[in-house]
Amino acid sequence: MKGMRVIELGSGTGLVGILCAKLGASVVLTDKCFALPLMQANAMENAADSMARGDITVQELLWGQKLSKSLLRDRMNLIVASDVVGCGDEALFPPLLKTLRQLCSPETTILMAYKPRARFERMFFDSVLESFCVSRVWNRLLPSDCYTETFSAPVDVFEIRLRTEKSSREGQPLPCSAAV
């Protein structure tokens, strides 16, 4: 990951982005303003670690809003997002999709971890297929000691790339309906 530009959407604690920075990436952690103090504290704590290799910045990002000049200027190599679809609010799907389109270039890869919870979440992936190619790259059940009545579905990780004319001609995307 050394030298890569990475943005984490809906970072929460910033764990995934901090790991990317430890592997040498230049990372932007994003979330709503209420999460920023915890992300900032975690980023500072981990930057002091002798294993820190990349750098981390923290900023608010409201999906669907205009991107900051720095995000528009610095194209991302990788977008990581975990549990952003399973938030229980389908009204967030169009703004999330708009933000993904704004952040992506043909060279950008999105890695999105997703645990199915509700049928309406499939609408997000149906919408994603209009602009992106989607492939499931990982699907595993969590260890049985992690299961509860509400926590027993597998976790999927999808690789998502901006649809290009070439990928559209080649029929590259895996239909999400088979994966969600």
Side-chain angles (χ1 to χ4, degrees), residues 101-175:
R101 285 188 194 115
Q102 290 174 317
L103 289 168
C104 280
S105 72
E107 294 78 34
T108 304
T109 299
I110 302 167
L111 290 178
M112 183 177 289
Y114 166 68
K115 179 188 172 297
R117 290 183 179 85
R119 286 194 168 287
F120 72 82
E121 294 166 355
R122 180 175 170 173
M123 292 185 317
F124 173 77
F125 289 99
D126 290 342
S127 297
V128 164
L129 284 173
E130 295 172 14
S131 302
F132 296 92
C133 299
V134 179
S135 299
R136 184 190 307 158
V137 294
W138 194 77
N139 174 260
R140 296 285 188 276
L141 288 172
L142 296 172
S144 59
D145 60 343
C146 294
Y147 292 157
T148 66
E149 283 183 34
T150 59
F151 191 69
S152 61
V155 174
D156 294 308
V157 176
F158 294 99
E159 179 181 325
I160 303 170
R161 292 183 169 270
L162 194 61
R163 186 182 295 276
T164 62
E165 190 175 312
K166 180 181 176 188
S167 65
S168 295
R169 275 196 318 269
E170 294 174 356
Q172 190 175 355
L174 172 75

Side-chain angles (χ1 to χ4, degrees), residues 76-88:
M76 299 296 158
N77 304 103
L78 179 65
I79 299 170
V80 291
S82 177
D83 222 16
V84 295
V85 175
C87 57

